[in-house]
Amino acid sequence: MITTSSLHVRNVSIKELWELDVLGITDPLLNENTKENFELTDFKNKMKILPDGRYEVKLPWKCNSENLPSNKELTWKRHLRMMNKLRNGKFFEDYKSVFRQWENLNIIERVPEVELNNECHYLPHRPVIKLDSATTKIRPVFDASAREKGKPSLNDCLYKGVNLIELIPDILDRFRIYPVGIVADIEKAFLMLSVAPKDRDYLGFFFPMQ
């Protein structure tokens, strides 16, 4: 049996009764920011627009970036396994063409030979194939959670940011208010973000070759 030993009651106005805070309900986005001590406004303040119109952003570090080790050997082994498996299929050339297209669009860049031996953190990647997709049938997916035993991954060192999925119900409600809805898609939206030069050494990867 549970017995209530005390009950705290405070006087509130009619206006306050309509506020969710009185019920102990707070904005989940604010909770996320508080929990991770990550200010979205600070991230926006560090963002800048380049002459070509692209946005340049810095990685939202939650610890010293120097704590992130080089995982070149781990990533190279995974890369070789992925390439051997991909060569036996029919999408090898298609996968390579995606990276060539990115390079032509200046989305990725090759590391100069004089910098190949510099300390760098690598991201393993693999193809995701969707034959029923009308636009992108094959795309690379990078694994920022790759880690060596006892060492952090890139994801461990970065803030996750706010959870925007919780805003979807509100967006759907507003979408249904009007008789006509319009949807649009930004081609390669996330790839249009440029990473600040000082953070690029933490996003290295091996180019798919023969």
Side-chain angles (χ1 to χ4, degrees):
M1 182 178 68
I2 300 177
T3 303
T4 301
S5 58
S6 66
L7 181 63
H8 174 71
V9 179
R10 72 181 181 92
N11 295 325
V12 296
S13 64
I14 298 297
K15 178 179 180 296
E16 287 181 302
L17 290 175
W18 291 95
E19 295 179 355
L20 294 178
D21 289 347
V22 175
L23 303 177
I25 301 175
T26 57
D27 188 339
L29 299 183
L30 294 178
N31 287 341
E32 190 74 14
N33 278 345
T34 301
K35 181 175 64 176
E36 292 200 341
N37 193 27
F38 172 59
E39 292 291 342
L40 188 59
T41 53
D42 183 58
F43 178 78
K44 292 180 179 179
N45 290 336
K46 293 179 180 178
M47 180 174 59
K48 66 179 182 179
I49 302 178
L50 301 176
D52 61 358
R54 296 175 67 188
Y55 288 90
E56 182 180 276
V57 298
K58 297 180 180 179
L59 296 182
W61 297 102
K62 67 179 180 182
C63 62
N64 193 329
S65 59
E66 295 179 356
N67 295 333
L68 191 63
S70 173
N71 59 345
K72 184 175 183 178
E73 183 177 353
L74 168 70
T75 305
W76 178 245
K77 290 180 179 179
R78 287 184 53 174
H79 180 74
L80 291 179
R81 289 197 299 268
M82 183 273 296
M83 292 296 293
N84 290 333
K85 182 178 180 180
L86 192 59
R87 287 192 189 98
N88 296 327
K90 59 180 180 179
F91 296 102
F92 183 49
E93 292 300 326
D94 294 332
Y95 193 56
K96 290 197 300 181
S97 68
V98 174
F99 288 89
R100 286 195 294 265
Q101 182 186 27
W102 286 0
E103 187 175 16
N104 293 334
L105 294 174
N106 294 321
I107 294 173
I108 60 176
E109 61 184 4
R110 293 179 183 265
V111 178
E113 290 190 14
V114 295
E115 299 179 12
L116 288 177
N117 293 325
N118 293 356
E119 284 292 315
C120 178
H121 186 80
Y122 292 84
L123 300 178
H125 59 86
R126 63 180 179 85
V128 171
I129 301 170
K130 296 179 63 177
L131 297 179
D132 58 344
S133 175
T135 55
T136 308
K137 297 187 182 299
I138 183 170
R139 61 184 177 88
V141 172
F142 294 84
D143 182 10
S145 295
R147 74 177 76 194
E148 296 178 333
K149 186 176 181 180
K151 298 180 180 179
S153 67
L154 178 62
N155 279 348
D156 292 330
C157 298
L158 299 178
Y159 286 112
K160 294 186 299 182
V162 296
N163 183 7
L164 298 178
I165 294 178
E166 295 174 337
L167 297 180
I168 291 179
D170 181 56
I171 294 174
L172 293 177
D173 287 341
R174 286 187 280 112
F175 182 81
R176 298 177 63 184
I177 292 177
Y178 304 99
V180 178
I182 299 176
V183 296
D185 181 33
I186 301 176
E187 184 180 6
K188 299 179 177 62
F190 292 106
L191 297 177
M192 293 298 106
L193 293 174
S194 178
V195 179
K198 74 170 188 175
D199 287 337
R200 294 177 186 176
D201 285 344
Y202 303 101
L203 302 173
F205 63 91
F206 292 108
F207 201 93
M209 304 293 289
Q210 293 289 354

